[in-house]
Amino acid sequence: MKKTIIILLFLISVSMFGQMYNPVKWSTSVEKISDKEYVLKAQAVIQSGWHLYGQYIEEGGPSRTAFTFKNTKKNFELVGKTTEEKGHEVVDKIFDMKIKYFEDKALFTQKIKFTSDVISNVAGEVEFMVCDDSNCLPPTSEELTFKIPTEKKLASAEETALVKEDSTITEEKIVAKTEEKAPNKEVHSPKKNESRGLLTIFILAFLSGFAALLTPCVFPMIPMTVSYFTKQSKTKAAGIRNAMIYGISIVIIYVLLGSIVTAVFGADSLNALSTNVWFNLIFFILLVVFACSFLGAFEIVLPSSLANKVDSQADRGGLIGIFFMALALAIVSFSCTGPIVGTLLVEAASKGGIAPIVGMLGFSIAIALPFSLFAAFPGWLNALPKSGGWLNTVKVVLGFLELALAFKFLSNADLVLQLHWLEREVFLAIWIAVFGILAFYLFGKITLPHDSPLNHISVGRLGFGLLVLTFTIYLIPGLWGAPLKLISGFPPPMHYSESPDGLGGSKVSNESSNSALPEGAEHGPQNIITFHDYDKGMEYAKKEGKPVLLDFTGYACVNCRKMEELVWSDPKVLGVLNNDVVLISLYVDDKKELPESEQYTSETTGKKIKTIGNKWSDLQIKTYKANAQPFYVIVDHKSASLTEPSAYNPDIEEYYNWLQSGIKNFKK
């Protein structure tokens, strides 16, 4: 169906928070031409994987790089426009226009002529925007100072070092220079986090591929297809070769699907969708539809005409025929693999960049592997279990998992809107019901439309049923306030519940919950006294003589919840948060509108700041040149940073040491 293809193209979401980006470093130098004429040079060193936009882009495109030179006393005049290097020019599909950008490095030059005595330096400012394959950071500005040389030379060695080393500037040098200034920096490398994320996507996709193998649409095809290749091929070697080509064709088909998703949904369209209510609601509906399909309500199939056309091409010999056989498998098995692929693309596309390609690579390898292995070792086919009702059981189990996952997206929408319709207790009750019914199904107490008659259950099914039942029982204490660290980040946070202190307020709380709340504060994660108003929190910190921990967070931020539930719950970290700092949590996705008198246009992004979330996001971008959450900053009473900011860091010891370093600097 055409609707199915449209469904696949809608499968994007952003749930990745917790990285801090600072991909561009600027340096300046000055070249002397004559006694009155100089060339100001601004060198941008760009972190690998990111690109900086040029100066001359049409209206309606991304924010272009723009330079301003402060000349209040009219000491000089600009000669011509600011020039830039050649760069790369492409037709951007998102903006539908030709756009110029730079990678690795970019040099901008401006010729000036002094109209009076030569001054010691010229002040300037650059406003710019950078993107990578999965993120676009908001426009950022940076102050520049151009030191005018006093001797008649092109520039001092110190001033032109970076410019002269164009060919040898590396990311390692940038990091080294940054660490010299901030040896205690705790922010994790975005590239390291990105590689971990891609590896996770690959592993999940690989396991999903094995799950798809065990469905009634795919599993019976293994012996049929392998037998076909071994019987039709003149030699065993030819049969193995053809089966290998068949497996590679499967990989190509699914990787091509991932490539299409990557091409259609680039960095600009993926940015900040995790807090978009409509996208989360769409994903909730899609996953419920997928779940109903797996449970037997209906089947999601592609048009039969398409299957017939592909099948006719499969009769052709040679490599083309084998490729179309693989395509026929993908189409025929779509009713089983479609929902799995769709769910996988939701998660993969949420990471941005090449994650959908990596996801489809892992999925397709798991699908293709059995065909190649059984072709090489046909005797193994005898060890395969016979097709039967157990295949439908696998399909039903996947349906229950899809249904449970769907409510995570519905919860995201509820959290962003702060409707309190799907609070922690309700969410957990739904999961207890879903997994409880799944346990009864596995024990044979419930049957669904496509199930075969069940006279007994296997040991494997019994074992899996016990595992699901154990998980269900584990969830139940969460209704009374248990932390449930195994599923940290999935349910709404503990303070977003009907009884934040446990049923009837009986939960053992930490020491801060026993004291009277200061004006403007409330009990936040782990019952820590938390402010959501910056000014009130700073006022309280001055009164108490404590440093401030700024917590830039989001209602739909999974990594924020993980930090709060896994790291902040540690006794020594919790002790610091309760006793040694004042916590101000600023939710960047808070949709409450600011009073009209407090709304303004951001100097940094040029956007209208209408909501409380916009205000805190603008503060983070303007002050710290970062826009990812969670993002932690320890500041003094004048809002000056006491240590380098920290992003998502599940290492309890590192995070504790980071807190202590900020507190120590406050006491100096």
Side-chain angles (χ1 to χ4, degrees):
M1 293 184 296
K2 293 182 179 178
K3 291 182 179 179
T4 306
I5 298 174
I6 294 174
I7 284 174
L8 288 175
L9 294 179
F10 268 112
L11 296 177
I12 56 170
S13 163
V14 174
S15 58
M16 185 179 69
F17 291 78
Q19 295 183 6
M20 191 186 83
Y21 302 106
N22 186 23
V24 180
K25 299 291 182 183
W26 291 91
S27 62
T28 61
S29 63
V30 178
E31 179 182 349
K32 185 175 182 179
I33 300 176
S34 66
D35 290 342
K36 293 289 186 180
E37 292 181 315
Y38 294 83
V39 174
L40 310 181
K41 296 183 179 182
Q43 172 82 55
V45 179
I46 308 163
Q47 186 174 305
S48 177
W50 293 82
H51 54 267
L52 170 74
Y53 291 107
Q55 298 178 94
Y56 307 108
I57 297 177
E58 300 175 21
E59 292 294 330
S63 296
R64 52 180 175 258
T65 300
F67 289 87
T68 55
F69 300 92
K70 299 176 183 179
N71 190 19
T72 54
K73 295 183 179 180
K74 306 297 181 183
N75 291 319
F76 62 89
E77 60 184 24
L78 302 180
V79 180
K81 295 182 178 180
T82 305
T83 61
E84 61 189 20
E85 295 178 309
K86 186 177 180 181
H88 305 277
E89 288 191 358
V90 296
V91 177
D92 191 279
K93 296 179 182 179
I94 300 295
F95 296 103
D96 193 25
M97 65 173 65
K98 185 179 286 187
I99 290 177
K100 183 176 181 179
Y101 66 91
F102 302 94
E103 295 178 331
D104 299 327
K105 63 183 187 299
L107 180 64
F108 301 87
T109 60
Q110 174 65 58
K111 187 177 180 181
I112 64 169
K113 182 177 182 180
F114 283 98
T115 55
S116 60
D117 294 337
V118 177
I119 57 178
S120 60
N121 61 70
V122 173
E125 184 179 36
V126 58
E127 184 174 354
F128 59 96
M129 178 177 177
V130 290
C131 293
D132 68 0
D133 290 334
S134 60
N135 297 278
C136 275
L137 301 187
T140 302
S141 60
E142 187 164 329
E143 299 287 338
L144 302 175
T145 300
F146 299 87
K147 295 182 179 180
I148 306 301
T150 56
E151 299 179 13
K152 293 184 179 180
K153 56 184 179 180
L154 293 180
S156 69
E158 181 179 353
E159 291 169 327
T160 59
L162 285 175
V163 177
K164 288 183 178 179
E165 293 177 3
D166 282 351
S167 61
T168 60
I169 293 175
T170 63
E171 182 182 343
E172 287 76 12
K173 289 184 179 181
I174 299 172
V175 174
K177 287 184 176 293
T178 304
E179 288 178 347
E180 286 175 9
K181 295 180 180 179
N184 296 322
K185 187 171 182 179
E186 298 289 342
V187 181
H188 287 287
S189 166
K191 290 185 73 176
K192 186 184 294 185
N193 287 340
E194 180 182 346
S195 63
R196 288 178 182 173
L198 291 178
L199 179 61
T200 301
I201 286 292
F202 181 85
I203 293 172
L204 289 176
F206 191 78
L207 295 176
S208 299
F210 273 122
L213 275 174
L214 302 177
T215 58
C217 311
V218 182
F219 187 82
M221 300 292 290
I222 297 175
M224 292 171 55
T225 306
V226 172
S227 297
Y228 171 82
F229 283 124
T230 53
K231 290 178 181 178
Q232 295 297 319
S233 304
K234 295 181 179 180
T235 64
K236 180 180 179 181
I240 294 174
R241 185 191 66 238
N242 291 337
M244 293 291 184
I245 296 172
Y246 181 72
I248 293 171
S249 299
I250 293 173
V251 174
I252 291 173
I253 289 166
Y254 282 103
V255 169
L256 183 61
L257 174 61
S259 301
I260 292 172
V261 172
T262 301
V264 172
F265 302 111
D268 296 86
S269 56
L270 284 170
N271 192 30
L273 288 181
S274 67
T275 60
N276 186 289
V277 174
W278 290 109
F279 273 91
N280 277 286
L281 289 176
I282 289 172
F283 295 146
F284 166 71
I285 294 171
L286 288 178
L287 292 183
V288 169
V289 170
F290 289 160
C292 292
S293 173
F294 270 149
L295 294 175
F298 51 82
E299 285 192 352
I300 302 174
V301 294
L302 291 173
S304 58
S305 58
L306 177 61
N308 292 334
K309 288 180 181 179
V310 172
D311 191 53
S312 64
Q313 293 295 320
D315 294 333
R316 300 171 60 180
L319 298 179
I320 295 177
I322 294 174
F323 177 82
F324 275 100
M325 281 188 65
L327 185 58
L329 171 69
I331 292 173
V332 170
S333 64
F334 186 80
S335 61
C336 291
T337 60
I340 299 175
V341 170
T343 306
L344 181 62
L345 286 174
V346 169
E347 177 63 22
S350 73
K351 305 299 181 187
I354 63 170
I357 299 176
V358 173
M360 290 299 96
L361 179 65
F363 180 86
S364 57
I365 288 175
I367 291 285
L369 204 57
F371 292 96
S372 301
L373 289 177
F374 284 115
F377 306 99
W380 289 4
L381 289 173
N382 298 326
L384 282 180
K386 302 298 182 183
S387 299
W390 68 272
L391 291 175
N392 189 68
T393 301
V394 174
K395 192 176 176 183
V396 170
V397 170
L398 292 174
F400 278 106
L401 295 178
E402 295 264 2
L403 189 60
L405 182 60
F407 283 94
K408 173 57 185 170
F409 289 97
L410 184 62
S411 173
N412 283 345
D414 181 64
L415 281 166
V416 171
L417 294 176
Q418 289 288 285
L419 297 176
H420 288 266
W421 289 352
L422 195 61
E423 293 180 319
R424 186 178 177 89
E425 291 90 345
V426 178
F427 182 94
L428 290 176
I430 292 172
W431 269 37
I432 290 169
V434 170
F435 286 102
I437 294 173
L438 173 57
F440 277 105
Y441 172 79
L442 291 170
F443 292 143
K445 303 301 181 183
I446 298 174
T447 57
L448 290 173
H450 296 109
D451 286 331
S452 302
L454 186 66
N455 298 321
H456 65 277
I457 61 174
S458 65
V459 174
R461 181 166 175 167
L462 175 63
F464 187 59
L466 288 172
L467 183 65
V468 173
L469 181 60
T470 301
F471 178 70
T472 305
I473 296 172
Y474 168 78
L475 295 176
I476 294 174
L479 298 173
W480 288 272
L484 305 181
K485 292 186 178 182
L486 282 180
I487 56 171
S488 173
F490 274 89
M494 295 181 68
H495 60 273
Y496 191 82
S497 62
E498 294 179 3
S499 304
D501 294 325
L503 188 63
S506 60
K507 190 181 79 173
V508 178
S509 56
N510 72 59
E511 55 190 285
S512 73
S513 64
N514 297 323
S515 58
L517 283 172
E519 182 182 355
E522 62 181 59
H523 288 302
Q526 305 298 332
N527 272 336
I528 302 166
I529 293 178
T530 308
F531 291 85
H532 297 306
D533 184 279
Y534 186 90
D535 294 329
K536 290 181 179 178
M538 291 298 292
E539 183 180 346
Y540 180 74
K542 292 176 184 177
K543 179 182 175 182
E544 294 293 312
K546 297 178 181 179
V548 171
L549 174 60
L550 293 180
D551 165 32
F552 290 94
T553 184
Y555 291 115
C557 171
V558 173
N559 281 344
C560 302
R561 301 294 84 77
K562 288 182 178 180
M563 286 294 293
E564 293 162 4
E565 295 172 15
L566 298 178
V567 179
W568 287 12
S569 62
D570 180 79
K572 60 183 180 182
V573 173
L574 187 57
V576 172
L577 298 178
N578 277 329
N579 304 314
D580 301 329
V581 298
V582 172
L583 177 63
I584 303 179
S585 294
L586 306 175
Y587 286 82
V588 299
D589 53 3
D590 191 331
K591 301 300 182 183
K592 298 187 189 72
E593 284 205 7
L594 291 165
E596 196 165 332
S597 59
E598 296 181 20
Q599 296 181 11
Y600 64 97
T601 300
S602 171
E603 297 176 0
T604 307
T605 65
K607 295 181 179 180
K608 183 74 173 179
I609 305 301
K610 296 182 178 180
T611 67
I612 293 175
N614 293 157
K615 178 181 177 181
W616 301 138
S617 179
D618 187 53
L619 174 67
Q620 182 186 359
I621 293 168
K622 182 178 179 180
T623 308
Y624 304 106
K625 306 297 188 289
N627 66 339
Q629 293 80 42
F631 187 81
Y632 307 107
V633 191
I634 303 177
V635 300
D636 61 17
H637 301 154
K638 295 182 180 179
S639 300
S641 298
L642 296 170
T643 185
E644 289 291 335
S646 176
Y648 174 69
N649 184 1
D651 189 309
I652 294 174
E653 196 65 33
E654 281 188 19
Y655 190 78
Y656 174 76
N657 291 336
W658 174 79
L659 288 171
Q660 290 291 359
S661 67
I663 296 168
K664 182 179 178 181
N665 291 335
F666 176 76
K667 294 178 179 178
K668 287 182 179 179

